[in-house]
């Protein structure tokens, strides 16, 4: 099939591509909060949404008399628009990957700081604690001698 169409009392038309979408609509879920929807991806900046190139792809229901030159120009323009769109999408994805790499490396550093005792050898940790203890003992003795 081709999905389900639902028309509300105020003549607003909703088209659902599959039963999953229809079910979630009936459960009154907000599509901007459901992670797998297009609305979520656009509102959370996961997809390129506000790009003027998409306005070229809008359907225009105006009949135009066939003209060969116009057709050739239109096809050339369509190719240019496609190239521009793919270049912008590539830059957008690259920028997102770069941000993701930065976040991932920060999380890895935090994880290492949190569980450094698993990485550092136990003997090295013992030596560090022994050094700290000797420093604290020497500082206590110094304070006692001052008094």
């Amino acid at each position: 099939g081709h999905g389900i169409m639902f028309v509300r009392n105020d003549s607003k038309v909703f088209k659902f591509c599959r039963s999953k979408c229809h079910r979630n609509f009936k459960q009154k879920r907000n599509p901007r909060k459901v992670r797998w929807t297009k609305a979520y991806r656009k509102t959370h900046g996961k997809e390129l949404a506000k790009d003027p190139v998409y306005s070229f792809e809008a359907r225009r229901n105006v009949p135009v008399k066939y003209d060969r030159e116009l057709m050739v120009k239109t096809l050339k323009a369509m190719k240019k628009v496609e190239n521009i769109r793919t270049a912008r999408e590539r830059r957008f994805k690259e920028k997102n990957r770069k941000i993701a790499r930065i976040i991932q490396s920060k999380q890895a550093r935090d994880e290492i700081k949190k569980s450094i005792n698993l990485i550092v050898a136990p003997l090295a940790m013992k030596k560090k604690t022994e050094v700290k203890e000797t420093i604290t003992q020497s500082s206590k003795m110094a304070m006692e001698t001052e008094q």
Side-chain angles (χ1 to χ4, degrees), residues 2-89:
H2 297 281
I4 297 172
M5 186 159 69
F6 172 72
V7 183
R8 207 163 51 188
N9 288 340
D10 62 350
S11 301
K12 174 87 171 99
V13 178
F14 297 93
K15 293 179 182 175
F16 304 106
C17 54
R18 59 188 90 125
S19 61
K20 177 183 181 182
C21 302
H22 190 222
R23 220 175 29 245
N24 279 288
F25 176 78
K26 285 196 279 188
Q27 291 174 0
K28 297 188 176 181
R29 290 203 175 127
N30 187 348
R32 290 183 302 258
K33 292 182 181 177
V34 180
R35 292 183 73 106
W36 53 267
T37 59
K38 281 282 198 185
Y40 175 89
R41 295 188 63 75
K42 284 182 181 176
T43 54
H44 289 82
K46 306 289 183 190
E47 283 184 1
L48 198 60
K50 298 168 189 149
D51 194 13
V53 172
Y54 292 120
S55 63
F56 288 117
E57 295 176 359
R59 190 177 191 119
R60 290 166 184 81
N61 292 325
V62 180
V64 179
K65 187 177 177 184
Y66 179 76
D67 182 13
R68 187 178 183 128
E69 289 179 31
L70 179 67
M71 198 60 158
V72 170
K73 287 181 182 177
T74 304
L75 290 173
K76 285 182 182 177
M78 285 170 64
K79 286 179 184 174
K80 284 184 182 177
V81 167
E82 182 64 27
N83 291 339
I84 291 169
R85 189 174 61 80
T86 54
R88 286 184 179 171
E89 283 179 357

Side-chain angles (χ1 to χ4, degrees), residues 87-103:
R88 286 184 179 171
E89 283 179 357
R90 190 173 55 249
R91 284 195 302 266
F92 178 78
K93 288 177 182 176
E94 190 60 40
K95 187 180 99 178
N96 281 358
R97 278 193 218 109
K98 194 179 285 185
I99 292 169
R101 265 190 245 119
I102 292 169
I103 291 170

